Amino acid sequence: MKIVVIGTGYVGLVQGVCLAELGNEVACVDLDEAKITKLKNGESPIYEPGIEELIKKNLKQERIFFDTSLKKHLKNAEIVFIAVGTPSDGKGKADLKYVTAAAEDIGKNLNHYAIIVNKSTVPIGTGEMVKNTIKKYYKEDFDVVSNPEFLKEGAALDDFFHPDRVVIGVNGSKKAAERIAELYKVLNCPIVVTNLETAEMIKYASNSYLATQISFINSIANICEKVGADVTDVSRGMKLDKRIGERAFLNAGIGYGGSCFPKDVSAMVEIAKESKENFRILEEVEATNKEQRQKFIKKIVDNLGKIQGKRIAVWGIAFKAKTDDIREAPAITIIESLQNLGAEVLAYDPVAEENARRVMPDVIYVSRPQDACKKADALVIVTDWDEFKQVDLKAIASLMKNKYIFDGRNIYDSDEVKKTGFKYYGIGR
């Protein structure tokens, strides 16, 4: 199929590259000329394992194209994906200005039947808004479909090619639903066809539920610390229940971050308010997530004492491993709080340093995790990168002035760490 993807951010780029890999002809359009130039040269503007190889492969085979002009590629397009950003507006609602601009651009340039697909995470009712916006400029036949993404950063390619499900929302057009289903047929996964509003709700409901699991287990962890239980064993015991499952988001830590959960939970709370419904559980999920970072900072302060003048090593800045995404990352709150208390912070992250420098220019960034620990008073682990799990802690201990580890992701066995001479503080242990 001939496909256009508007937006080359995380969702749009993964969607475009993977559809090209499936054999479609894909044009990815973005207004950012620097980003498009980079992509034309086979360079990915985001860190995602394996994506750069697929970009180069499909450029060579002329299945993917990158451009700043929508009009040029729209004339032959069968399907147009809108995959632009929907950031929070500061009040919890999703800001739809980029979606609206994309819909206007489509309406002004469309000259034949096409299926317009909302791939961005959007509030309920956005599909109809997109349809009405396009109708202002284009009076002929077209369809609007909701096809939410369910990608995990760091595993996005695998999630695309081996999805749990594909959701297709459409109001009234069986033809459009069948055409989009055909696009994903080769993936051999369950396909859920609903109306537009239900598809939009499935995305918000899914992310809100996963975020709820995270805040739930973090609340359990806080109780574990008070009663002498170990949350890692609690989590393991829970996951063995088939009704909960081994893939449940039940790993205690310093809370969720990233581009999806924070804004989607806030948006879901706002959707509930607009519907005159109280979603108290989700409001508490948000509150618990914010409190979890503060509890971790308090743990550091309570055990180190006066922070002024202390040298603190921080491992990990990205909100999770295998990504360079620092949006709503717990590391930012933790590092800035330590700096405000007078600490000197040395930070290491294998891929997120460039993004972090733009937000936290006063941090000392180092090129190896060991370098952050030289003469440090404490080591604070914020992101669970695999390389941190393999480090020789005896060697790290020999570099440090004071031997404290604050493990915000519970990546170590507490008993084993203590054998190396460290004072160890995890979450819920």
Side-chain angles (χ1 to χ4, degrees), residues 287-305:
T288 298
N289 192 59
K290 292 174 182 176
E291 288 171 5
Q292 195 67 8
R293 302 178 189 190
Q294 298 305 319
K295 286 178 182 291
F296 187 61
I297 294 163
K298 185 176 186 298
K299 184 177 292 187
I300 297 170
V301 173
D302 286 350
N303 287 284
L304 282 187

Side-chain angles (χ1 to χ4, degrees), residues 121-364:
T121 300
V122 293
I124 292 79
T126 303
E128 286 299 319
M129 181 276 283
V130 167
K131 184 184 293 185
N132 293 331
T133 301
I134 294 172
K135 278 183 177 180
K136 290 179 185 178
Y137 306 96
Y138 181 69
K139 306 300 181 183
E140 303 301 319
D141 191 28
F142 68 94
D143 282 306
V144 172
V145 170
S146 175
N147 174 221
E149 56 83 20
F150 300 100
L151 305 175
K152 298 186 297 293
E153 293 190 33
L157 302 186
D158 187 64
D159 285 344
F160 182 94
F161 292 120
H162 305 96
D164 296 323
R165 77 289 202 195
V166 168
V167 175
I168 299 169
V170 62
N171 287 346
S173 177
K174 185 178 179 182
K175 174 177 69 173
E178 289 176 347
R179 192 66 170 148
I180 299 303
E182 185 182 341
L183 189 64
Y184 294 109
K185 186 178 179 181
V186 68
L187 301 179
N188 193 29
C189 69
I191 293 179
V192 180
V193 179
T194 72
N195 63 19
L196 276 171
E197 294 77 9
T198 303
E200 291 165 345
M201 179 60 89
I202 287 171
K203 171 64 176 180
Y204 277 113
S206 296
N207 277 358
S208 295
Y209 184 67
L210 293 172
T212 299
Q213 291 183 12
I214 294 170
S215 285
F216 174 84
I217 199 63
N218 282 336
S219 295
I220 293 292
N222 295 334
I223 299 170
C224 284
E225 291 188 10
K226 302 285 178 63
V227 301
D230 189 322
V231 76
T232 57
D233 291 333
V234 172
S235 176
R236 190 182 308 125
M238 289 175 66
K239 289 180 180 182
L240 290 172
D241 187 326
K242 291 183 176 65
R243 297 166 300 175
I244 297 173
E246 63 181 17
R247 295 173 64 187
F249 276 34
L250 292 175
N251 297 321
I254 47 179
Y256 59 78
S259 62
C260 293
F261 286 6
K263 74 179 181 67
D264 291 354
V265 170
S266 293
M268 188 72 253
V269 169
E270 289 302 313
I271 290 166
K273 288 178 180 176
E274 289 175 359
S275 304
K276 294 182 169 55
E277 290 290 334
N278 291 317
F279 207 154
R280 295 188 186 92
I281 292 173
L282 210 55
E283 290 173 8
E284 286 303 316
V285 166
E286 272 194 306
T288 298
N289 192 59
K290 292 174 182 176
E291 288 171 5
Q292 195 67 8
R293 302 178 189 190
Q294 298 305 319
K295 286 178 182 291
F296 187 61
I297 294 163
K298 185 176 186 298
K299 184 177 292 187
I300 297 170
V301 173
D302 286 350
N303 287 284
L304 282 187
K306 185 180 177 183
I307 301 296
Q308 179 75 37
K310 291 285 197 301
R311 186 181 177 96
I312 297 178
V314 173
W315 285 1
I317 303 169
F319 86 93
K320 59 177 283 188
K322 298 181 182 178
T323 181
D324 62 351
D325 196 341
I326 63 166
R327 286 173 287 183
E328 300 290 336
I332 295 174
T333 304
I334 292 164
I335 290 172
E336 289 181 345
S337 296
L338 292 172
Q339 287 182 314
N340 289 338
L341 291 169
E344 178 186 41
V345 176
L346 289 82
Y348 168 78
D349 190 287
V351 300
E353 180 183 328
E354 184 178 343
N355 290 336
R357 283 183 180 276
R358 289 194 284 267
V359 179
M360 300 182 292
D362 296 333
V363 173
I364 300 170

Side-chain angles (χ1 to χ4, degrees), residues 6-7 31 82-88 94-106 118 120 122 126 129-130:
I6 302 174
L31 296 176
I82 298 175
V84 295
T86 54
S88 175
D95 189 339
L96 297 178
K97 62 184 176 185
Y98 301 117
V99 175
T100 303
E104 289 177 348
D105 211 4
I106 291 168
N118 264 340
S120 303
V122 293
T126 303
M129 181 276 283
V130 167

